[in-house]
């Protein structure tokens, strides 16, 4: 017997981006939402039957394949009652105005294979997708994990067109692996010809996200994402750490940070907009280069010698790390998204803020310790730099294997 939670673990999750368009109307807010289907149904399977198959979740059917339960989209059930699938979203998406929740009415609902989903980044694209002929949506024997759902929700309000702020949260918790990495884009399109603002948050949106017509508040969500990325990116943290160890004076520290910032700012934009090779070998090449940059910075930290040209070297290494940042940003923001330059700049500012936070936390005590015990500064550097070099060496070997595989596919 498989409990429902265990059955949910067998749902594939090949798409983990949710997009919410909000349109202000005189009588309320209209939302056009695209999300992966598993977020709606993965936690709604029932106990297993005698054959070992759990009771299907709504709008799905199960099949045993290679000893594992696979979940498929039930097109017939969807055709019979499409709004029922949308109601699952309406029940789990909470919109609050002034701290008071509002009940949604479900409009049109569409379902797509992830490989054939129409564009949804802009409001006009979302509108076209939600009114697509239902006959175009028929597909059978398609995994739930490769299915996305578009839902139209309407929240009646007295002053929808003049609303300046509201909060969105979600009670949907499908219990899927890596669901905390879900990228949520809330695009507030305002009323009429207002400039769209993009808000970004990671995870299940359990905590309310305050959405307003404030460009600063929208940019802040991307600044936080930039800070989070560099602090959670172990390879970037190790490089910055070794970079700080090699800075003997505050002036050298400032020049190193400046070089790294200049480098990653350039390639973050170039990589995001696609001005880089698309071959299979390119990403592992960049990742291998990032690992080698840690080794170089670690060796430089051990030598503790003021060398000319280190600013240029850090700028060159910054080019590599900026490409790494761009790979992440492309997963959470599309090039054709509204206000893409604002979001890109805010993300880059967040990366820089995270880097400066590491420097402010680490370099002053290292400098003071080195000043107090100058004859032991090499030992202090070695205690930090050597483990970084070893870890980066392992990464370089692993990533070189991926690079070789990518070159064979080319």
């Amino acid at each position: 017997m498989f409990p429902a939670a265990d059955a949910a673990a067998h749902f594939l999750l090949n798409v983990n981006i949710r997009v919410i368009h909000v349109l202000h109307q005189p009588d309320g807010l209209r939302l056009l939402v695209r999300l992966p289907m598993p977020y709606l149904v993965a936690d709604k399977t029932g106990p297993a039957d005698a054959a070992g198959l759990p009771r299907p979740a709504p709008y799905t059917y199960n099949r045993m394949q290679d000893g594992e339960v696979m979940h498929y989209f039930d097109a017939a059930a969807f055709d019979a009652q499409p709004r029922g699938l949308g109601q699952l979203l309406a029940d789990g998406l909470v919109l609050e105005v002034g701290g008071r929740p509002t009940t949604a009415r479900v409009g049109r609902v569409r379902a797509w294979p992830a490989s054939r989903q129409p564009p949804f980044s802009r409001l006009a694209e979302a509108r076209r997708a939600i009114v697509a002929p239902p006959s175009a949506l028929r597909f059978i024997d398609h995994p739930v994990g490769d299915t996305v759902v578009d839902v139209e929700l309407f929240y009646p309000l007295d002053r929808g067109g003049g609303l300046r702020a509201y909060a969105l949260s979600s009670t949907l918790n499908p219990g899927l692996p890596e669901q905390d990495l879900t990228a949520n884009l809330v695009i507030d399109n305002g009323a009429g010809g207002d400039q769209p603002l993009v808000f970004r948050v990671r995870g299940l949106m359990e905590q309310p996200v305050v959405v307003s017509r404030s460009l600063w508040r929208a940019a802040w969500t991307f600044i936080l994402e930039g800070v989070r990325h560099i602090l959670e990116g172990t390879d970037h943290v190790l490089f910055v750490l070794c970079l700080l160890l090699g800075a003997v004076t505050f002036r050298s520290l400032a020049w190193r940070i400046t070089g790294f910032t200049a480098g990653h700012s350039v390639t973050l934009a170039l990589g995001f907009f696609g001005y880089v090779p698309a071959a299979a070998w390119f990403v592992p090449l960049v990742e291998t280069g990032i690992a080698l940059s840690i080794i170089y910075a670690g060796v430089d930290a051990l030598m503790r010698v003021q060398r000319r040209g280190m600013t240029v070297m850090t700028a060159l290494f910054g080019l590599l790390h900026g490409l790494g940042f761009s790979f992440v940003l492309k997963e959470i923001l599309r090039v054709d998204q509204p206000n893409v330059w604002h979001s890109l700049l805010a993300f880059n500012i967040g990366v820089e803020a995270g880097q400066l936070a590491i420097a402010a936390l680490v370099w002053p005590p290292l400098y003071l310790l080195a000043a107090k015990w100058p004859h032991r500064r090499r030992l202090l550097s070695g205690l930090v730099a050597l483990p970084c070099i070893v870890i980066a060496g392992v990464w370089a070997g692993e990533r070189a294997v991926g690079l070789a595989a990518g070159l064979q596919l080319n």
Side-chain angles (χ1 to χ4, degrees):
M1 301 290 283
F2 300 143
D6 291 341
H10 292 284
F11 276 87
L12 299 175
L13 189 59
N14 297 333
V15 183
N16 68 339
I17 297 177
R18 293 190 286 192
V19 181
I20 304 175
H21 280 280
V22 182
L23 179 62
H24 295 242
Q25 299 181 172
D27 54 348
L29 296 181
R30 187 173 301 277
L31 274 60
L32 301 180
V33 185
R34 171 168 289 176
L35 76 166
M37 186 173 173
Y39 286 76
L40 298 175
V41 300
D43 62 337
K44 295 176 174 60
T45 56
D49 58 21
L53 289 173
R55 188 181 67 209
Y59 299 93
T60 74
Y61 62 90
N62 301 328
R63 182 179 297 165
M64 191 70 73
Q65 184 174 327
D66 297 329
E68 288 196 12
V69 179
M70 300 300 295
H71 307 273
Y72 293 90
F73 173 63
D74 190 338
F78 178 76
D79 288 343
Q81 194 178 6
R83 289 191 179 182
L85 185 58
Q87 189 62 49
L88 297 178
L89 175 63
D91 293 341
L93 187 64
V94 181
L95 188 146
E96 295 178 302
V97 178
R100 302 174 65 178
T102 305
T103 302
R105 297 201 304 260
V106 179
R108 285 159 289 198
V109 182
R110 299 291 185 264
W112 309 92
S115 60
R116 291 194 283 127
Q117 57 182 309
F120 204 82
S121 296
R122 298 183 178 275
L123 179 60
E125 295 171 340
R127 282 172 162 167
R128 285 194 293 269
I130 203 67
V131 299
S135 59
L137 312 179
R138 294 184 178 276
F139 50 101
I140 59 174
D141 291 340
H142 195 80
V144 173
D146 285 326
T147 303
V148 296
V149 179
D150 296 343
V151 182
E152 179 184 39
L153 300 176
F154 179 71
Y155 294 84
L157 298 168
D158 293 336
R159 288 185 169 183
L163 187 64
R164 301 300 300 175
Y166 54 92
L168 279 172
S169 60
S170 176
T171 61
L172 298 173
N173 187 352
L176 297 169
E178 299 186 354
Q179 62 183 16
D180 57 318
L181 300 180
T182 301
N184 303 278
L185 291 176
V186 180
I187 306 170
D188 187 287
N189 295 277
D194 290 352
Q195 180 74 9
L197 298 179
V198 182
F199 295 74
R200 202 272 179 185
V201 64
R202 188 193 301 188
L204 295 180
M205 292 179 58
E206 296 168 320
Q207 298 300 318
V209 180
V210 178
V211 182
S212 71
R213 295 302 301 165
S214 166
L215 179 60
W216 162 248
R217 188 182 287 273
W220 179 249
T221 64
F222 281 89
I223 291 174
L224 290 178
E225 189 58 36
V227 173
R228 175 184 291 179
H229 175 64
I230 194 169
L231 295 182
E232 292 181 354
T234 310
D235 47 1
H236 302 308
V237 171
L238 294 189
F239 176 76
V240 172
L241 191 58
C242 290
L243 204 64
L244 299 176
L245 287 172
V248 178
T249 64
F250 181 79
R251 181 180 179 182
S252 65
L253 171 68
W255 277 111
R256 286 167 181 245
I257 291 178
T258 300
F260 184 61
T261 299
H264 76 63
S265 297
V266 171
T267 50
L268 174 58
L270 291 177
F272 175 72
F273 287 108
Y275 295 108
V276 294
W281 50 264
F282 185 68
V283 172
L285 174 65
V286 171
E287 292 178 341
T288 304
I290 290 175
L292 293 176
S293 73
I294 299 171
I295 296 175
Y296 184 94
V299 172
D300 175 74
L302 290 176
M303 297 178 65
R304 297 283 293 185
V305 176
Q306 289 288 86
R307 287 187 288 177
R308 293 181 179 179
M310 193 58 191
T311 301
V312 175
M313 288 301 301
T314 56
L316 292 175
F317 289 142
L319 295 176
L320 285 172
H321 287 257
L323 290 171
F325 297 145
S326 74
F327 300 152
V328 173
L329 187 59
K330 289 179 74 171
E331 295 178 358
I332 63 176
L333 183 70
R334 286 185 50 170
V335 173
D336 57 352
Q337 210 81 52
N339 280 339
V340 66
W341 278 105
H342 294 131
S343 303
L344 177 64
L345 177 61
F347 183 83
N348 196 43
I349 291 174
V351 169
E352 182 63 18
Q355 173 188 326
L356 293 175
I358 297 173
L361 183 65
V362 173
W363 193 77
L366 286 176
Y367 178 80
L368 293 174
L369 288 172
K372 186 172 183 178
W373 295 294
H375 57 290
R376 294 185 179 178
R377 69 181 187 182
R378 190 178 297 272
L379 174 62
L380 293 173
S381 297
L383 290 175
V384 179
L386 283 175
C388 294
I389 293 172
V390 171
I391 294 171
V394 174
W395 286 341
E398 294 174 345
R399 295 173 182 182
V401 172
L403 173 59
L407 289 172
Q408 291 178 353
L409 292 175
N410 190 39

